[in-house]
Amino acid sequence: GAGHFITQRVSAIALLFLVPWFLISLIAAVRGGYDGALAWVADPINAVLILLAVGAALYHMRLGLQVVVEDYIAKNSTKTFLLIVNTFICVVLFVAAAYAVLKVAAI
């Protein structure tokens, strides 16, 4: 109930700050070419903020899809399966993003 509502709103507020920062910084980094983009991701502050942005976006997505599945899927076994798949995909995407950012930051 209320906890789910609040966490979705908190993640939305975090994204209000992280997404504009990410887009503006990414555009500036890409202007520096491939080496500029690598240097941007390799900066520890940028790496942490990238992971925060990706994590908040995936968490927000998982919460939103959870509501859709719970509201519109009637069969319990299908609902359970979709909720598990939803969580699994979000975790896999975050692990892949974390690996990519940390791999670039370690160069």
Side-chain angles (χ1 to χ4, degrees):
H4 188 274
F5 178 84
I6 291 170
T7 55
Q8 192 169 25
R9 295 319 179 261
V10 168
S11 66
I13 292 169
L15 288 170
L16 280 174
F17 296 101
L18 291 169
V19 169
W21 166 83
F22 180 76
L23 293 175
I24 292 167
S25 297
L26 184 64
I27 290 168
V30 170
R31 287 185 180 162
Y34 180 75
D35 292 331
L38 282 179
W40 176 71
V41 175
D43 180 25
I45 292 173
N46 289 336
V48 168
L49 288 173
I50 290 168
L51 291 177
L52 284 174
V54 169
L58 289 171
Y59 185 64
H60 186 76
M61 180 187 79
R62 187 184 76 76
L63 292 173
L65 287 174
Q66 179 182 344
V67 170
V68 170
V69 169
E70 289 172 346
D71 287 349
Y72 294 106
I73 305 298
K75 190 174 177 187
N76 282 334
S77 59
T78 305
K79 184 185 301 187
T80 302
F81 173 75
L82 290 174
L83 290 174
I84 290 170
V85 168
N86 180 29
T87 300
F88 179 75
I89 289 173
C90 289
V91 169
V92 168
L93 288 173
F94 182 76
V95 168
Y99 175 77
V101 169
L102 294 174
K103 182 83 169 169
V104 170
I107 294 176

